[in-house]
Amino acid sequence: MVQKICEKKATQCMDMSEIRTEIDRIDHEVISLLGERYEFVKAASQFKKSPDQVKAQSRFDTMLKERRTWAEEQGLSSDLIEKIYRDLVNWFIAEEMKHWEETQPDLP
């Protein structure tokens, strides 16, 4: 676990040690948020009635476009963010599908 010392802006860091500490803190928060997102993904499966609803292709496509816009607003590569989210969400969808299948009483 990363020890939270203090939050600094990049311009406030005085050396590489402080920079690395802040990057580690941010990465820890990102991973924690991904874990939280995963809990919502699993919870969503209870409201879906079919594999197509789990995959939700239209939602997936819309989400990627929105994440591209958010990336551009932050000065990040929209192509990179789309790739990250495409990989991430495809993994989440596969996990949600497993969870959904486990909770369906009528599936063989």
Side-chain angles (χ1 to χ4, degrees):
M1 178 177 261
V2 175
Q3 183 180 6
K4 189 173 182 177
I5 296 170
C6 66
E7 295 180 23
K8 293 183 177 185
K9 295 191 181 287
T11 56
Q12 295 174 316
C13 292
M14 302 301 286
D15 58 33
M16 283 304 299
S17 176
E18 288 183 1
I19 297 255
R20 289 181 179 129
T21 296
E22 291 305 307
I23 288 173
D24 289 348
R25 177 190 57 78
I26 291 166
D27 287 349
H28 186 260
E29 288 180 29
V30 167
I31 291 167
S32 178
L33 289 169
L34 289 172
E36 184 179 349
R37 188 186 198 286
Y38 184 44
E39 293 301 315
F40 281 97
V41 167
K42 290 188 292 186
S45 69
Q46 69 183 311
F47 301 105
K48 299 185 179 178
K49 307 294 182 211
S50 71
D52 285 341
Q53 286 184 346
V54 173
K55 293 175 186 170
Q57 189 63 50
S58 177
R59 163 70 180 144
F60 182 76
D61 295 340
T62 300
M63 179 273 307
L64 288 178
K65 287 178 188 174
E66 187 173 48
R67 298 322 180 257
R68 289 182 66 86
T69 299
W70 294 352
E72 291 168 4
E73 290 170 353
Q74 293 298 315
L76 298 170
S77 164
S78 57
D79 290 340
L80 172 64
I81 295 302
E82 179 179 341
K83 181 183 180 341
I84 290 169
Y85 269 87
R86 184 177 297 279
D87 291 348
L88 177 71
V89 175
N90 276 325
W91 184 84
F92 279 144
I93 289 169
E95 290 297 306
E96 182 182 2
M97 184 65 75
K98 287 182 208 172
H99 187 74
W100 181 81
E101 289 171 349
E102 290 170 358
T103 61
Q104 299 306 302
D106 298 336
L107 291 178

